[in-house]
Amino acid sequence: QVQLVESGGGLVQPGGSLRLSCAASGIIFKFYAMAWYRQAPGKERELVASVSSGGALQYVDSVKGRFTISRDNAEDTVYLQMNSLNPEDTAVYYCNAEAEYSKRVYWGQGTQVTVSL
């Protein structure tokens, strides 16, 4: 059974930081591209950042220079370090795993991030 379990969300003031974690089980983690998506109320889900199985990184323009995605293949975990948060970053953040060859996709349950005074 595949599980992606996110943690680290919460309430933070503008300018603050959070670190999201996504622990994977039931997959051969090193063969998966990992990504973080987010969905704000009334908006479509968008890709925030991704890291390929080979370590290639990609970010949406709005988070470049503020967010950092990383993976630990020994711990089967992907992280999203979020700095200089602003209210526009408020959303439910989802962990995503995509198999390198089959392109099969798995999703986590999501973790809420709220940036507010």
Side-chain angles (χ1 to χ4, degrees):
Q1 181 181 0
V2 177
Q3 283 191 308
L4 301 176
V5 180
E6 300 106 331
S7 60
L11 174 64
V12 63
Q13 292 186 350
S17 298
L18 283 174
R19 188 193 196 204
L20 304 183
S21 300
C22 170
S25 60
I27 60 173
I28 304 176
F29 185 78
K30 65 180 180 179
F31 293 140
Y32 280 72
M34 300 300 297
W36 288 96
Y37 286 73
R38 67 185 178 187
Q39 187 166 20
K43 294 188 177 181
E44 294 187 354
R45 191 174 296 190
E46 68 168 349
L47 174 65
V48 175
S50 65
V51 53
S52 72
S53 57
L57 306 177
Q58 185 177 7
Y59 297 94
V60 67
D61 286 347
S62 61
V63 308
K64 286 180 180 177
R66 300 189 298 123
F67 290 11
T68 302
I69 188 171
S70 61
R71 65 187 297 158
D72 185 339
N73 287 349
E75 297 293 331
D76 292 356
T77 300
V78 62
Y79 303 97
L80 186 66
Q81 177 67 44
M82 305 186 294
N83 299 328
S84 302
L85 285 160
N86 59 61
E88 289 70 38
D89 296 315
T90 295
V92 178
Y93 284 70
Y94 296 91
C95 180
N96 168 283
E98 180 177 306
E100 181 178 0
Y101 296 108
S102 71
K103 303 302 180 184
R104 187 166 186 175
V105 173
Y106 299 98
W107 292 93
Q109 81 286 354
T111 185
Q112 177 71 46
V113 171
T114 302
V115 185
S116 179
L117 291 171

